[in-house]
Amino acid sequence: MRANQLILKNIGLVLFTLLIGTSCEEGRTTDAYSINGVIRNMPDSTKVLMYLDMDTILDSTMVINGKFQFKGEIKRPTRVVLRIESTRDSKTFWLENQKIDIIGEKGNMMNSIAVGSKTEEESELLLERKDSIYREMESLEEILTDINRDSLFIVYEKMVDVEAEITRDFIKDYPESFMSLTALEGFVMRRLGAVETGKVFSLMNKKLQSTKEGKAITKFIEVNKNPKVGEKFVDFEMADTKGKPIRLSEMLGKYTLLEFWSSSCGPCRQFNPELVQEYKLYKDKGFVILNVSLDTNKEKWLSAIEKDSLIWQNVSDLNGLQNLAALIYGVDAIPENFLIDENGIIIARYLRGDNLKEKLKELFEVHTSM
Protein backbone atom coordinates (compact mmCIF):
# COMPACT_ATOMS: atom_id res chain seq x y z
CA MET A 1 0.00 0.00 0.00
CA ARG A 2 2.80 2.39 0.91
CA ALA A 3 4.62 1.47 -2.29
CA ASN A 4 1.58 2.51 -4.32
CA GLN A 5 1.45 5.81 -2.44
CA LEU A 6 5.12 6.48 -3.26
CA ILE A 7 4.44 5.76 -6.96
CA LEU A 8 1.48 8.15 -6.85
CA LYS A 9 3.68 10.77 -5.26
CA ASN A 10 6.26 10.53 -8.04
CA ILE A 11 3.53 10.75 -10.68
CA GLY A 12 2.08 13.70 -8.83
CA LEU A 13 5.36 15.58 -8.93
CA VAL A 14 5.48 15.23 -12.71
CA LEU A 15 1.86 16.31 -13.10
CA PHE A 16 2.48 19.43 -11.01
CA THR A 17 4.91 20.67 -13.62
CA LEU A 18 2.40 20.06 -16.40
CA LEU A 19 -0.77 21.25 -14.69
CA ILE A 20 0.47 24.14 -12.59
CA GLY A 21 3.45 25.06 -14.66
CA THR A 22 5.71 26.16 -11.83
CA SER A 23 8.39 24.72 -9.60
CA CYS A 24 7.36 24.05 -6.00
CA GLU A 25 10.41 26.04 -4.95
CA GLU A 26 9.27 29.21 -6.71
CA GLY A 27 7.27 31.79 -4.85
CA ARG A 28 7.94 30.36 -1.40
CA THR A 29 7.42 32.79 1.42
CA THR A 30 8.20 32.78 5.09
CA ASP A 31 5.33 34.95 6.36
CA ALA A 32 2.27 33.56 4.53
CA TYR A 33 0.98 30.40 2.95
CA SER A 34 -0.39 29.76 -0.51
CA ILE A 35 -2.18 26.48 -1.22
CA ASN A 36 -2.59 25.72 -4.92
CA GLY A 37 -4.71 22.65 -5.63
CA VAL A 38 -5.65 20.62 -8.67
CA ILE A 39 -8.55 18.15 -8.35
CA ARG A 40 -9.30 15.98 -11.35
CA ASN A 41 -12.95 15.34 -12.27
CA MET A 42 -14.26 17.94 -9.83
CA PRO A 43 -17.15 20.12 -11.14
CA ASP A 44 -16.82 23.90 -11.10
CA SER A 45 -18.18 25.77 -8.05
CA THR A 46 -17.60 22.77 -5.77
CA LYS A 47 -16.86 24.19 -2.32
CA VAL A 48 -13.64 23.21 -0.53
CA LEU A 49 -13.47 23.80 3.24
CA MET A 50 -10.30 24.01 5.33
CA TYR A 51 -10.73 22.85 8.95
CA LEU A 52 -8.42 23.46 11.90
CA ASP A 53 -10.25 20.66 13.73
CA MET A 54 -13.50 18.76 13.30
CA ASP A 55 -15.64 21.81 14.07
CA THR A 56 -13.55 24.91 13.26
CA ILE A 57 -13.50 26.13 9.65
CA LEU A 58 -10.42 28.21 8.90
CA ASP A 59 -11.31 29.15 5.31
CA SER A 60 -13.26 28.07 2.21
CA THR A 61 -12.97 28.43 -1.54
CA MET A 62 -14.45 27.21 -4.83
CA VAL A 63 -13.10 24.88 -7.50
CA ILE A 64 -12.75 26.64 -10.86
CA ASN A 65 -11.49 24.72 -13.91
CA GLY A 66 -10.37 21.90 -11.65
CA LYS A 67 -8.26 24.19 -9.47
CA PHE A 68 -8.59 25.93 -6.11
CA GLN A 69 -6.47 28.21 -3.96
CA PHE A 70 -6.13 29.30 -0.33
CA LYS A 71 -3.98 32.17 0.94
CA GLY A 72 -3.31 33.38 4.46
CA GLU A 73 -0.98 33.35 7.44
CA ILE A 74 -0.55 30.92 10.28
CA LYS A 75 1.53 31.31 13.43
CA ARG A 76 3.06 27.82 13.43
CA PRO A 77 2.91 24.56 11.50
CA THR A 78 -0.57 23.10 12.05
CA ARG A 79 -2.38 20.01 10.83
CA VAL A 80 -5.43 20.98 8.80
CA VAL A 81 -8.07 19.12 6.83
CA LEU A 82 -9.29 20.02 3.34
CA ARG A 83 -12.79 18.65 2.86
CA ILE A 84 -15.14 18.72 -0.11
CA GLU A 85 -18.38 20.22 1.22
CA SER A 86 -21.14 17.76 2.17
CA THR A 87 -18.87 14.74 1.61
CA ARG A 88 -16.27 12.70 3.52
CA ASP A 89 -13.75 13.30 0.75
CA SER A 90 -10.82 14.95 2.56
CA LYS A 91 -7.07 15.41 2.85
CA THR A 92 -5.16 15.96 6.10
CA PHE A 93 -1.75 17.61 5.93
CA TRP A 94 0.61 20.02 7.70
CA LEU A 95 0.00 23.66 6.83
CA GLU A 96 2.78 26.21 7.29
CA ASN A 97 3.76 29.54 5.75
CA GLN A 98 5.04 28.14 2.47
CA LYS A 99 3.83 27.60 -1.08
CA ILE A 100 2.06 24.24 -0.94
CA ASP A 101 0.85 22.37 -4.03
CA ILE A 102 -1.83 19.69 -3.80
CA ILE A 103 -2.96 17.33 -6.54
CA GLY A 104 -5.74 14.78 -6.27
CA GLU A 105 -8.99 13.59 -7.73
CA LYS A 106 -12.64 13.58 -6.82
CA GLY A 107 -13.51 10.78 -4.43
CA ASN A 108 -9.89 10.09 -3.47
CA MET A 109 -8.69 13.23 -1.71
CA MET A 110 -7.18 11.13 1.08
CA ASN A 111 -4.43 9.98 -1.29
CA SER A 112 -3.77 13.45 -2.71
CA ILE A 113 -0.14 14.55 -2.92
CA ALA A 114 0.93 17.58 -0.87
CA VAL A 115 4.28 19.18 -1.74
CA GLY A 116 5.96 22.25 -0.28
CA SER A 117 5.47 21.82 3.47
CA LYS A 118 8.66 20.72 5.21
CA THR A 119 6.69 19.43 8.19
CA GLU A 120 4.46 17.39 5.87
CA GLU A 121 7.55 15.87 4.25
CA GLU A 122 8.86 14.92 7.69
CA SER A 123 5.47 13.44 8.57
CA GLU A 124 5.62 11.26 5.47
CA LEU A 125 9.14 10.16 6.37
CA LEU A 126 8.02 9.08 9.84
CA LEU A 127 5.14 7.10 8.31
CA GLU A 128 7.58 5.36 5.98
CA ARG A 129 9.75 4.36 8.93
CA LYS A 130 6.69 2.91 10.67
CA ASP A 131 5.38 1.12 7.60
CA SER A 132 6.65 -2.35 8.52
CA ILE A 133 5.37 -2.28 12.10
CA TYR A 134 2.00 -0.97 10.89
CA ARG A 135 1.80 -3.92 8.49
CA GLU A 136 2.42 -6.30 11.39
CA MET A 137 -0.29 -4.60 13.44
CA GLU A 138 -2.74 -4.90 10.56
CA SER A 139 -1.96 -8.61 10.19
CA LEU A 140 -2.89 -9.12 13.86
CA GLU A 141 -6.18 -7.28 13.43
CA GLU A 142 -7.06 -9.58 10.51
CA ILE A 143 -6.81 -12.71 12.67
CA LEU A 144 -8.32 -11.22 15.84
CA THR A 145 -11.16 -13.22 17.41
CA ASP A 146 -12.85 -13.35 20.81
CA ILE A 147 -10.88 -16.52 21.53
CA ASN A 148 -7.37 -15.21 20.81
CA ARG A 149 -7.85 -11.54 21.74
CA ASP A 150 -6.06 -11.76 25.10
CA SER A 151 -2.93 -13.46 23.73
CA LEU A 152 -2.81 -11.18 20.68
CA PHE A 153 -3.17 -8.14 22.91
CA ILE A 154 0.17 -8.98 24.56
CA VAL A 155 1.84 -9.26 21.16
CA TYR A 156 0.21 -6.01 20.03
CA GLU A 157 1.51 -4.15 23.08
CA LYS A 158 5.06 -5.17 22.22
CA MET A 159 4.53 -3.81 18.70
CA VAL A 160 3.37 -0.50 20.16
CA ASP A 161 6.65 -0.35 22.10
CA VAL A 162 8.52 -0.82 18.81
CA GLU A 163 6.48 1.99 17.24
CA ALA A 164 7.45 4.28 20.12
CA GLU A 165 11.13 3.41 19.66
CA ILE A 166 10.92 4.24 15.95
CA THR A 167 9.42 7.62 16.81
CA ARG A 168 12.13 8.23 19.43
CA ASP A 169 14.85 7.62 16.84
CA PHE A 170 13.07 9.93 14.38
CA ILE A 171 12.99 12.69 16.99
CA LYS A 172 16.73 12.32 17.50
CA ASP A 173 17.23 12.75 13.74
CA TYR A 174 14.77 15.68 13.45
CA PRO A 175 14.78 17.48 16.82
CA GLU A 176 13.76 20.83 15.25
CA SER A 177 10.60 19.47 13.65
CA PHE A 178 7.04 20.21 14.75
CA MET A 179 6.34 16.63 13.67
CA SER A 180 8.78 15.42 16.32
CA LEU A 181 7.16 17.66 18.95
CA THR A 182 3.60 16.48 18.31
CA ALA A 183 4.66 12.84 17.95
CA LEU A 184 6.40 12.93 21.32
CA GLU A 185 3.48 14.67 23.08
CA GLY A 186 1.14 11.83 22.16
CA PHE A 187 1.37 8.23 23.32
CA VAL A 188 5.12 8.10 22.70
CA MET A 189 6.20 9.99 25.82
CA ARG A 190 3.99 7.75 27.94
CA ARG A 191 5.61 4.66 26.44
CA LEU A 192 9.13 6.02 26.82
CA GLY A 193 8.69 7.31 30.36
CA ALA A 194 9.96 10.52 31.95
CA VAL A 195 13.70 9.80 31.75
CA GLU A 196 13.85 8.84 28.06
CA THR A 197 11.34 11.55 27.15
CA GLY A 198 13.50 14.12 28.92
CA LYS A 199 16.52 13.06 26.87
CA VAL A 200 14.89 13.56 23.47
CA PHE A 201 12.93 16.63 24.59
CA SER A 202 16.19 18.32 25.62
CA LEU A 203 17.32 18.10 21.98
CA MET A 204 14.52 20.45 20.88
CA ASN A 205 14.94 24.21 20.72
CA LYS A 206 13.36 26.66 23.16
CA LYS A 207 10.66 27.66 20.67
CA LEU A 208 9.33 24.12 20.46
CA GLN A 209 9.68 23.59 24.20
CA SER A 210 7.57 26.69 24.93
CA THR A 211 4.57 25.56 22.83
CA LYS A 212 1.45 24.09 24.44
CA GLU A 213 2.71 20.63 23.44
CA GLY A 214 6.09 21.44 24.94
CA LYS A 215 4.49 22.52 28.21
CA ALA A 216 2.45 19.30 28.32
CA ILE A 217 5.66 17.29 27.82
CA THR A 218 7.39 19.28 30.58
CA LYS A 219 4.53 18.50 32.98
CA PHE A 220 4.69 14.82 32.04
CA ILE A 221 8.43 14.70 32.75
CA GLU A 222 7.79 16.26 36.16
CA VAL A 223 5.03 13.90 37.34
CA ASN A 224 5.43 10.62 35.44
CA LYS A 225 6.61 7.56 37.39
CA ASN A 226 5.60 4.68 35.06
CA PRO A 227 5.42 2.06 37.86
CA LYS A 228 6.05 -1.47 36.63
CA VAL A 229 4.65 -4.83 37.72
CA GLY A 230 6.53 -5.81 40.86
CA GLU A 231 6.95 -2.20 42.00
CA LYS A 232 5.00 -0.23 44.60
CA PHE A 233 1.99 1.78 43.47
CA VAL A 234 2.22 5.57 43.18
CA ASP A 235 -0.26 7.48 45.30
CA PHE A 236 -2.45 10.35 44.04
CA GLU A 237 -5.55 12.29 45.07
CA MET A 238 -8.49 13.16 42.82
CA ALA A 239 -12.09 14.37 43.18
CA ASP A 240 -15.00 11.93 43.04
CA THR A 241 -18.37 12.55 41.37
CA LYS A 242 -19.40 14.91 44.19
CA GLY A 243 -16.13 16.81 44.30
CA LYS A 244 -14.81 15.02 47.39
CA PRO A 245 -11.03 14.33 47.26
CA ILE A 246 -10.21 10.62 47.19
CA ARG A 247 -6.70 9.25 47.81
CA LEU A 248 -5.71 5.91 46.28
CA SER A 249 -3.77 4.85 49.38
CA GLU A 250 -6.94 5.18 51.45
CA MET A 251 -8.89 2.99 49.01
CA LEU A 252 -6.65 -0.08 48.96
CA GLY A 253 -8.35 -3.38 49.70
CA LYS A 254 -7.02 -6.94 49.67
CA TYR A 255 -6.69 -6.49 45.91
CA THR A 256 -7.38 -3.18 44.16
CA LEU A 257 -7.99 -2.65 40.46
CA LEU A 258 -6.98 0.83 39.29
CA GLU A 259 -9.03 1.18 36.12
CA PHE A 260 -8.57 3.96 33.51
CA TRP A 261 -11.46 4.64 31.12
CA SER A 262 -13.74 7.34 29.67
CA SER A 263 -17.39 7.64 28.69
CA SER A 264 -16.47 7.98 25.00
CA CYS A 265 -14.23 4.88 24.93
CA GLY A 266 -16.15 2.10 23.14
CA PRO A 267 -13.96 -0.81 24.34
CA CYS A 268 -14.14 0.56 27.91
CA ARG A 269 -17.91 0.60 27.87
CA GLN A 270 -18.05 -2.88 26.35
CA PHE A 271 -15.80 -4.18 29.11
CA ASN A 272 -17.77 -2.57 31.95
CA PRO A 273 -20.43 -5.34 32.28
CA GLU A 274 -17.67 -7.91 32.84
CA LEU A 275 -16.10 -5.59 35.41
CA VAL A 276 -19.43 -5.23 37.23
CA GLN A 277 -19.84 -8.99 37.29
CA GLU A 278 -16.37 -9.57 38.76
CA TYR A 279 -16.84 -6.81 41.33
CA LYS A 280 -20.10 -8.30 42.62
CA LEU A 281 -18.43 -11.71 42.80
CA TYR A 282 -15.47 -10.64 44.95
CA LYS A 283 -16.30 -7.31 46.64
CA ASP A 284 -17.12 -9.03 49.94
CA LYS A 285 -13.75 -10.79 49.84
CA GLY A 286 -11.76 -7.57 49.66
CA PHE A 287 -11.87 -6.67 45.95
CA VAL A 288 -11.81 -2.89 45.38
CA ILE A 289 -12.07 -0.92 42.13
CA LEU A 290 -11.09 2.71 41.64
CA ASN A 291 -12.13 4.07 38.26
CA VAL A 292 -10.16 7.03 36.87
CA SER A 293 -11.96 8.73 33.99
CA LEU A 294 -10.16 10.61 31.21
CA ASP A 295 -13.34 12.53 30.45
CA THR A 296 -13.57 16.31 30.02
CA ASN A 297 -17.36 16.59 30.21
CA LYS A 298 -18.75 15.93 33.68
CA GLU A 299 -22.33 15.29 32.53
CA LYS A 300 -21.24 12.60 30.05
CA TRP A 301 -19.00 11.04 32.70
CA LEU A 302 -21.78 10.88 35.29
CA SER A 303 -24.28 9.57 32.74
CA ALA A 304 -21.94 6.72 31.74
CA ILE A 305 -21.36 5.77 35.39
CA GLU A 306 -25.11 5.51 35.97
CA LYS A 307 -25.87 3.73 32.70
CA ASP A 308 -23.11 1.14 33.18
CA SER A 309 -23.91 0.65 36.90
CA LEU A 310 -20.39 1.40 38.09
CA ILE A 311 -21.22 1.12 41.77
CA TRP A 312 -17.65 1.53 43.04
CA GLN A 313 -15.63 4.71 43.56
CA ASN A 314 -15.16 6.93 40.49
CA VAL A 315 -12.77 9.90 40.22
CA SER A 316 -11.64 12.37 37.54
CA ASP A 317 -10.00 15.77 37.20
CA LEU A 318 -11.81 16.21 33.83
CA ASN A 319 -8.52 16.99 32.06
CA GLY A 320 -8.84 14.31 29.41
CA LEU A 321 -5.52 12.82 28.30
CA GLN A 322 -3.76 15.22 30.68
CA ASN A 323 -5.41 13.50 33.65
CA LEU A 324 -2.86 13.59 36.49
CA ALA A 325 -3.13 9.90 37.38
CA ALA A 326 -2.82 8.92 33.71
CA LEU A 327 0.36 10.99 33.43
CA ILE A 328 1.79 9.46 36.62
CA TYR A 329 1.09 5.91 35.47
CA GLY A 330 2.04 6.50 31.83
CA VAL A 331 -1.38 5.52 30.47
CA ASP A 332 -1.24 5.94 26.68
CA ALA A 333 -4.47 4.16 25.73
CA ILE A 334 -7.69 3.08 27.41
CA PRO A 335 -9.06 0.82 28.72
CA GLU A 336 -6.03 0.26 30.94
CA ASN A 337 -5.62 -1.08 34.46
CA PHE A 338 -3.23 -1.99 37.28
CA LEU A 339 -3.92 -4.65 39.89
CA ILE A 340 -2.46 -3.79 43.31
CA ASP A 341 -2.17 -6.17 46.29
CA GLU A 342 -2.73 -5.34 49.97
CA ASN A 343 0.97 -4.47 50.38
CA GLY A 344 0.72 -1.83 47.65
CA ILE A 345 2.64 -3.86 45.06
CA ILE A 346 1.46 -3.86 41.44
CA ILE A 347 1.03 -7.54 40.60
CA ALA A 348 -0.53 -7.31 37.11
CA ARG A 349 -1.38 -4.92 34.30
CA TYR A 350 -3.49 -5.00 31.12
CA LEU A 351 -6.00 -7.48 32.58
CA ARG A 352 -8.91 -7.99 30.21
CA GLY A 353 -11.58 -10.61 29.65
CA ASP A 354 -10.58 -14.14 30.61
CA ASN A 355 -7.20 -12.94 31.89
CA LEU A 356 -8.91 -10.80 34.55
CA LYS A 357 -11.40 -13.53 35.47
CA GLU A 358 -8.67 -16.15 35.82
CA LYS A 359 -6.43 -13.84 37.85
CA LEU A 360 -9.19 -12.90 40.31
CA LYS A 361 -10.27 -16.53 40.62
CA GLU A 362 -6.69 -17.50 41.40
CA LEU A 363 -6.35 -14.77 44.03
CA PHE A 364 -9.72 -15.04 45.76
CA GLU A 365 -10.67 -18.68 45.36
CA VAL A 366 -7.53 -20.76 44.94
CA HIS A 367 -5.29 -18.86 47.37
CA THR A 368 -7.93 -18.43 50.05
CA SER A 369 -8.76 -22.16 49.99
CA MET A 370 -5.14 -23.17 50.56
Side-chain angles (χ1 to χ4, degrees):
M1 183 177 177
R2 290 291 302 171
N4 291 337
Q5 289 177 342
L6 291 174
I7 292 172
L8 285 172
K9 186 169 185 176
N10 291 332
I11 294 174
L13 290 173
V14 174
L15 289 175
F16 271 131
T17 304
L18 297 176
L19 294 173
I20 301 178
T22 180
S23 166
C24 64
E25 294 296 325
E26 293 178 359
R28 283 194 171 192
T29 178
T30 58
D31 56 6
Y33 63 79
S34 174
I35 302 174
N36 300 290
V38 175
I39 308 181
R40 295 187 294 271
N41 305 319
M42 185 65 70
D44 282 356
S45 299
T46 297
K47 194 172 185 178
V48 183
L49 305 171
M50 180 159 62
Y51 287 83
L52 278 176
D53 51 48
M54 294 296 292
D55 301 313
T56 306
I57 298 176
L58 178 63
D59 201 354
S60 65
T61 190
M62 294 288 186
V63 174
I64 303 297
N65 296 324
K67 300 180 182 181
F68 67 87
Q69 186 178 67
F70 289 98
K71 288 187 176 182
E73 298 179 12
I74 199 159
K75 293 181 179 180
R76 45 161 280 180
T78 304
R79 285 179 69 82
V80 298
V81 179
L82 294 186
R83 183 182 300 278
I84 305 304
E85 187 179 39
S86 301
T87 75
R88 295 184 177 181
D89 203 11
S90 63
K91 170 66 177 178
T92 302
F93 67 100
W94 280 92
L95 174 64
E96 53 192 317
N97 290 328
Q98 301 286 348
K99 178 179 179 297
I100 300 173
D101 296 320
I102 294 178
I103 185 168
E105 62 180 339
K106 179 184 178 182
N108 194 29
M109 284 290 290
M110 180 177 66
N111 291 318
S112 300
I113 309 304
V115 179
S117 166
K118 181 181 178 183
T119 309
E120 177 67 16
E121 293 170 4
E122 291 162 347
S123 174
E124 287 291 325
L125 177 56
L126 179 56
L127 284 176
E128 289 173 16
R129 292 191 182 189
K130 291 183 177 181
D131 184 65
S132 61
I133 193 64
Y134 281 163
R135 288 178 183 273
E136 291 183 42
M137 289 177 172
E138 288 175 2
S139 67
L140 280 187
E141 293 172 2
E142 291 173 358
I143 62 174
L144 178 65
T145 67
D146 290 338
I147 298 175
N148 65 17
R149 65 175 183 173
D150 294 333
S151 58
L152 289 186
F153 178 77
I154 297 173
V155 177
Y156 188 86
E157 284 297 308
K158 292 180 179 179
M159 291 180 178
V160 174
D161 285 333
V162 172
E163 182 187 357
E165 291 169 2
I166 292 172
T167 305
R168 176 198 61 194
D169 293 340
F170 175 87
I171 295 170
K172 290 180 178 179
D173 292 338
Y174 296 89
E176 305 299 308
S177 172
F178 267 89
M179 185 65 237
S180 293
L181 176 72
T182 55
L184 180 61
E185 196 266 333
F187 87 96
V188 174
M189 68 181 185
R190 300 166 192 254
R191 283 280 163 167
L192 296 180
V195 175
E196 193 62 29
T197 295
K199 290 178 181 178
V200 291
F201 187 58
S202 67
L203 301 176
M204 298 181 182
N205 59 41
K206 296 298 183 183
K207 181 178 180 181
L208 292 179
Q209 291 180 0
S210 64
T211 61
K212 64 177 183 179
E213 294 91 346
K215 292 176 181 177
I217 294 170
T218 298
K219 180 181 178 181
F220 171 79
I221 294 171
E222 292 173 352
V223 304
N224 174 251
K225 302 300 180 184
N226 265 20
K228 305 287 191 300
V229 172
E231 298 178 354
K232 192 172 180 62
F233 80 101
V234 181
D235 205 7
F236 64 87
E237 185 176 274
M238 197 164 291
D240 67 7
T241 57
K242 297 181 179 180
K244 178 184 176 181
I246 300 296
R247 183 166 288 277
L248 173 58
S249 57
E250 298 173 354
M251 288 285 301
L252 293 184
K254 189 174 182 62
Y255 293 101
T256 304
L257 191 69
L258 178 60
E259 180 77 20
F260 292 88
W261 75 300
S262 83
S263 64
S264 61
C265 168
C268 302
R269 304 293 297 276
Q270 292 172 8
F271 178 65
N272 278 342
E274 295 181 40
L275 209 53
V276 171
Q277 181 180 353
E278 295 303 303
Y279 179 71
K280 290 181 178 179
L281 194 60
Y282 298 113
K283 65 183 178 68
D284 293 334
K285 296 183 179 182
F287 183 41
V288 172
I289 299 178
L290 177 61
N291 263 29
V292 179
S293 171
L294 273 59
D295 273 282
T296 57
N297 184 297
K298 186 172 183 178
E299 287 70 31
K300 291 182 179 180
W301 173 43
L302 297 179
S303 175
I305 291 172
E306 182 178 3
K307 186 173 183 180
D308 294 359
S309 302
L310 307 184
I311 55 178
W312 48 82
Q313 193 62 260
N314 291 269
V315 299
S316 180
D317 58 15
L318 299 176
N319 284 329
L321 292 174
Q322 295 303 310
N323 176 279
L324 178 61
L327 293 177
I328 291 173
Y329 279 80
V331 174
D332 56 72
I334 50 175
E336 165 72 294
N337 59 36
F338 297 78
L339 185 61
I340 306 167
D341 70 12
E342 58 189 336
N343 298 313
I345 303 301
I346 298 172
I347 59 174
R349 186 178 180 180
Y350 302 125
L351 290 173
R352 285 284 169 266
D354 291 339
N355 286 341
L356 176 62
K357 293 178 182 178
E358 292 171 5
K359 186 64 176 179
L360 293 179
K361 184 177 182 179
E362 172 195 343
L363 295 173
F364 286 108
E365 297 182 16
V366 177
H367 285 182
T368 53
S369 65
M370 294 176 63

